[in-house]
Amino acid sequence: MNSEDPACINRLAKPSKQVLSEGLFIRHEPAEKRLLLWNQIKINRERFIDGECGDVLDDLDIHFRGIFDASLLCLSATFKDEGAEAVTDIFSGTEYRAYEHFERMRIIGIYSSEDLKKKIIKKESDVMEILRNYYLFGDSQFDEIFDSTEIRPSLRYFFHKKWGEIKTRINEAVSDLIIDSDYLVKLIRIWEDEGRRIADVAGENERQKISDELKCREDELSDELTGRDEEISRCKEDIEDLRDRLKMAVPDKNLKENLAENPGRYVTSGEARQYEINLLNRFGHKFSDFVSSVEKRYRVCGIREEKVNPPEYFRERFNLSVDDYLNIPRNSSLKIDLIEKKIFGRKEKVRIYVAYVSRQAEYAKYSCDCLPAGLKDLNIIMDNIRSDCNGNGIRAFLFAASPTGFDEKCRSIITGNNSARNSYGGSISVCLYDPEKGLMSYNSDDSFSRIFSKLCNPELLEEQKSRLKGEVEKKIKEDIAALGWCSLESSFDKNRDDYLQIKRHFYSFADENGHIVKYVENSGLIMM
């Protein structure tokens, strides 16, 4: 008995997912291309059913049959509109109507929760019509459509799964908006009230009368979002202003190309300064007396702090207020001297260098920065450390933090994954820290670097647990949305020190969200 091959399944399902992502808009593709997709999907469906990808669990089997059949139904609907009968006789009229209904709803699934909230605030007709039907009829209207016996089981499974995702997206957006919007609360109450009244009457005339009354009550509330519309307009203006400022921040072609390759993140001067202050406070508290690694205990001999204040001419050149100037990062650094605590033998001496790396001129000029730090920033610090530790028998460890993180090339060299020789070996070990993501990058093959990176981690234990839980849940959601399942072994590195905690979160997520975890031979633990 052969277990399923996820790579094989994904390869066969790829054309179907391409069609479903386009939806009925695929009708704009040439008929020849659509016919080619039709034939390819039919062949892939047969190969899947014939067991080419191994023995697939029942839940996964119906999941992927639904994807194959839904993509064929979508293509068939486009040919049906053009009057072609050769590829349209395998689906019933009920299945065509169900897919058209699904297409009207799928617009919700395209938007993120934040985008959906904005569209509700702007009262966009397509979104509001779906919300109206949802609160008027609840699940009954959709169950009536999708549970028809004329719809094959694979398609019923597909439609119900997608409708469940759409409901979740609606509920997330609406629950956030209800807190701030009396308009939405009143509107939902009107919909629910009228939905109950419509369900209680049978005559078409009476139903129409209630619908007309509902429309009048909706119109009475429509002016209550005027303030929201103005708020959205102001947001748009702020976004455009920000884009202009970012364009100014990259005035020449080389810098623009660099920004495109390393987009980084948007970090304001106030955020960058706060990360710096927090880092200094955490290290001051952590290294106040004695510290212990897994194998050794060290006494803290002293801590020295240095700052690089922004030049005074920044005030005049960039027209900075006192607060603006004070919020520019100071690029502070710490030197922490440790000596091993033991009675006999030679005591190990370690000096920890904590360096905060930021581009002060960018924060002074634009009040923000987007580009990550790179090797040129790190090399300057490394040269100073080499000079400081040369010949004094001290083992050096650099903990470098940047508010915008470090670029991929820099992290790759430090972690030892670069094909080039890691020039930061020897008597100096390095850890790069991204305070916004809580991400640490170090060479895991260097035991000294691994031990002291964990020792210097400024995050509190609860913060580390919360971040790890968020990381695991995000990866699981992405995999289930894309594949229909999540593999523990494929999605998470077994060599991670926190792998057991990841496994615990994996099970907890399944329990909390109604998923099933099964062991599959040669594939490990699979969540469905």
Side-chain angles (χ1 to χ4, degrees):
M1 178 177 178
N2 298 323
S3 62
E4 79 265 10
D5 180 357
C8 171
I9 296 173
N10 286 330
R11 186 173 62 254
L12 294 183
K14 187 176 180 180
S16 295
K17 292 180 179 179
Q18 175 189 343
V19 170
L20 291 174
S21 67
E22 292 286 334
L24 290 177
F25 287 106
I26 204 168
R27 65 164 63 94
H28 299 298
E29 295 290 343
E32 295 79 8
K33 181 177 179 179
R34 282 180 281 137
L35 189 58
L36 183 64
L37 281 168
W38 169 272
N39 291 327
Q40 185 179 4
I41 292 170
K42 281 200 71 175
I43 292 171
N44 288 354
R45 180 182 184 276
E46 293 304 318
R47 291 167 63 187
F48 175 80
I49 292 174
D50 291 343
E52 182 173 317
C53 297
D55 296 314
V56 181
L57 295 174
D58 291 342
D59 291 341
L60 292 179
D61 181 71
I62 194 168
H63 169 77
F64 281 98
R65 287 190 188 219
I67 290 177
F68 288 123
D69 289 341
S71 60
L72 289 172
L73 178 56
C74 175
L75 288 171
S76 182
T78 65
F79 287 116
K80 181 173 179 289
D81 292 340
E82 296 169 356
E85 297 181 359
V87 296
T88 61
D89 56 356
I90 67 171
F91 295 106
S92 67
T94 305
E95 288 172 328
Y96 283 122
R97 286 191 294 275
Y99 187 80
E100 288 168 2
H101 192 76
F102 163 71
E103 276 291 320
R104 287 195 293 272
M105 298 185 308
R106 74 190 289 267
I107 188 172
I108 297 291
I110 296 172
Y111 302 126
S112 66
S113 294
E114 286 301 317
D115 290 335
L116 188 55
K117 284 191 286 186
K118 292 175 184 177
K119 292 186 176 296
I120 294 173
I121 290 171
K122 292 170 68 177
K123 299 178 290 182
E124 292 196 3
S125 58
D126 49 358
V127 173
M128 296 304 286
E129 182 63 24
I130 293 174
L131 289 181
R132 182 178 185 272
N133 289 335
Y134 177 59
Y135 284 101
L136 272 176
F137 305 109
D139 285 338
S140 59
Q141 183 188 44
F142 303 102
D143 289 342
E144 181 181 347
I145 294 171
F146 297 147
D147 284 343
S148 170
T149 55
E150 295 184 29
I151 298 179
R152 62 198 72 191
S154 59
L155 286 175
R156 287 205 300 271
Y157 179 89
F158 174 84
F159 288 138
H160 276 294
K161 182 178 178 63
K162 292 300 179 182
W163 173 232
E165 294 171 2
I166 290 168
K167 283 195 296 184
T168 301
R169 190 69 54 83
I170 290 174
N171 292 333
E172 286 176 354
V174 169
S175 13
D176 286 345
L177 276 177
I178 280 177
I179 298 173
D180 302 319
S181 175
D182 289 338
Y183 164 81
L184 194 56
V185 174
K186 293 174 184 176
L187 190 56
I188 289 174
R189 285 175 181 168
I190 290 173
W191 283 336
E192 291 176 337
D193 179 46
E194 300 307 321
R196 286 190 290 270
R197 289 177 59 192
I198 289 174
D200 291 338
V201 300
E204 186 63 32
N205 292 335
E206 186 63 24
R207 285 176 180 259
Q208 185 60 46
K209 181 180 177 181
I210 294 173
S211 296
D212 293 341
E213 181 184 340
L214 170 60
K215 186 68 173 67
C216 291
R217 294 178 67 185
E218 290 176 5
D219 292 340
E220 290 173 3
L221 287 171
S222 62
D223 293 336
E224 295 193 19
L225 279 184
T226 303
R228 291 279 183 175
D229 292 337
E230 292 174 355
E231 182 182 343
I232 291 172
S233 298
R234 287 196 300 272
C235 288
K236 287 182 177 179
E237 291 174 2
D238 291 342
I239 291 170
E240 290 303 320
D241 178 60
L242 177 59
R243 285 175 178 164
D244 292 339
R245 289 167 60 192
L246 289 177
K247 287 177 183 176
M248 292 172 61
V250 283
D252 61 77
K253 180 181 177 183
N254 293 332
L255 250 97
K256 286 182 179 178
E257 291 175 352
N258 191 21
L259 178 59
E261 294 174 1
N262 300 296
R265 292 181 305 276
Y266 173 70
V267 180
T268 66
S269 56
E271 292 170 337
R273 180 65 176 136
Q274 184 58 46
Y275 290 142
E276 181 179 25
I277 293 171
N278 188 55
L279 186 73
L280 296 175
N281 289 340
R282 293 285 175 88
F283 268 89
H285 178 73
K286 184 184 285 282
F287 292 90
S288 58
D289 191 7
F290 289 92
V291 291
S292 300
S293 67
V294 176
E295 302 173 348
K296 300 179 181 179
R297 183 171 172 81
Y298 297 89
R299 178 169 60 86
V300 180
C301 300
I303 299 180
R304 287 167 287 170
E305 179 179 343
E306 296 179 0
K307 294 181 181 179
V308 181
N309 289 323
E312 284 290 333
Y313 67 81
F314 277 5
R315 296 176 183 266
E316 184 176 350
R317 175 177 293 183
F318 302 120
N319 192 27
L320 300 177
S321 67
V322 175
D323 288 344
D324 291 337
Y325 181 78
L326 291 176
N327 273 293
I328 297 173
R330 265 44 186 171
N331 284 355
S332 304
S333 61
L334 297 175
K335 287 184 183 179
I336 306 173
D337 288 318
L338 307 177
I339 186 167
E340 185 180 1
K341 189 179 187 317
K342 66 179 183 179
I343 299 175
F344 301 107
R346 185 177 179 181
K347 299 179 180 180
E348 183 182 36
K349 295 180 181 179
V350 178
R351 178 170 292 168
I352 299 174
Y353 294 82
V354 181
Y356 194 76
V357 185
S358 70
R359 302 194 302 167
Q360 292 178 324
E362 298 301 306
Y363 289 109
K365 188 174 182 180
Y366 306 110
S367 298
C368 66
D369 195 9
C370 296
L371 295 178
L375 286 174
K376 64 179 182 179
D377 303 295
L378 198 61
N379 289 339
I380 297 172
I381 301 172
M382 292 297 301
D383 284 339
N384 293 334
I385 293 176
R386 287 183 184 278
S387 301
D388 190 47
C389 292
N390 189 23
N392 59 12
I394 295 178
R395 185 71 188 268
F397 176 76
L398 170 62
F399 188 90
S402 170
T404 51
F406 293 85
D407 63 30
E408 180 62 32
K409 184 176 181 181
C410 186
R411 286 187 285 111
S412 181
I413 288 178
I414 292 303
T415 56
N417 294 329
N418 193 281
S419 57
R421 182 176 175 269
N422 182 355
S423 60
Y424 296 128
S427 61
I428 302 178
S429 297
V430 183
C431 174
L432 305 179
Y433 178 63
D434 182 341
E436 192 162 59
K437 290 186 174 181
L439 176 67
M440 293 198 301
S441 303
Y442 55 88
N443 188 343
S444 57
D445 294 329
D446 176 0
S447 60
F448 185 83
S449 178
R450 185 173 62 251
I451 290 171
F452 272 82
S453 294
K454 294 177 183 177
L455 186 65
C456 290
N457 189 348
E459 285 189 328
L460 301 176
L461 183 59
E462 289 304 316
E463 291 173 336
Q464 294 177 41
K465 290 180 179 178
S466 176
R467 180 179 54 78
L468 179 63
K469 182 180 180 182
E471 176 190 341
V472 172
E473 290 183 353
K474 181 182 178 183
K475 179 61 178 173
I476 292 173
K477 288 177 181 177
E478 289 174 351
D479 284 1
I480 289 180
L483 307 173
W485 81 83
C486 178
S487 166
L488 177 65
E489 283 73 9
S490 301
S491 301
F492 302 99
D493 184 2
K494 274 188 174 182
N495 297 320
R496 288 180 55 160
D497 297 323
D498 52 6
Y499 185 74
L500 290 178
Q501 287 90 341
I502 290 175
K503 191 174 183 181
R504 191 177 300 119
H505 288 310
F506 189 81
Y507 279 114
S508 297
F509 184 90
D511 293 340
E512 293 169 3
N513 293 273
H515 294 295
I516 299 173
V517 176
K518 293 184 179 180
Y519 176 77
V520 178
E521 189 177 357
N522 299 326
S523 296
L525 292 174
I526 303 292
M527 183 189 302
M528 297 169 286

